[in-house]
Amino acid sequence: MELMERTFAIIKPDAVERRLTGQVLARIEAAGFTVRAMRLQHLTKAEAEGFYAVHRERPFFGALTDFMSSGPCVLLALEAPNAIAEWRTLMGATDPGKADAGTLRKDFGSSIDRNATHGSDAPETAAFELGYFFRGLELR
């Protein structure tokens, strides 16, 4: 029996605004992920800043948190064997112009800043990000 792993994902405001949520969710399920929790939420600037605190000193921090608080996004807890790596593969490279064909960012992202999706990059990151948005009772 394969060991299941959980990861955190966001369908970002650009994809929600362009009505791509259903297509992204369909691709997530077709790739074998189980959605364990999901919520539509319009992040406040403070919530975005807390979530991306690791990037606080980076030059793109202000623009990133402005964008992530610009409209609703879909927050997801996904489960699958090797979920973190598999979700990152499905998303594709951060820059849609460099992402592989058939990835979410290649198909739905419009720029490195508006790249449709977010995903945890390591088990520690996934634990923090899942806990940031979902209480334990939401993740049974």
Side-chain angles (χ1 to χ4, degrees), residues 48-124:
E49 288 173 346
F51 181 73
Y52 286 107
V54 66
H55 298 303
R56 188 171 300 281
E57 302 305 318
R58 306 289 294 271
F60 58 80
F61 181 75
L64 174 63
T65 55
D66 284 346
F67 166 63
M68 290 302 294
S69 59
S70 69
C73 59
V74 178
L75 309 172
L76 297 154
L78 303 177
E79 186 175 79
N82 203 24
I84 295 168
E86 293 297 323
W87 173 239
R88 295 196 65 77
T89 298
L90 181 60
M91 282 193 307
T94 304
D95 181 347
K98 296 178 182 173
D100 291 338
T103 62
L104 295 172
R105 288 174 169 164
K106 182 68 161 187
D107 294 346
F108 302 129
S110 57
S111 71
I112 196 166
D113 298 321
R114 295 179 176 271
N115 59 11
T117 58
H118 164 88
S120 304
D121 60 3
E124 304 77 27

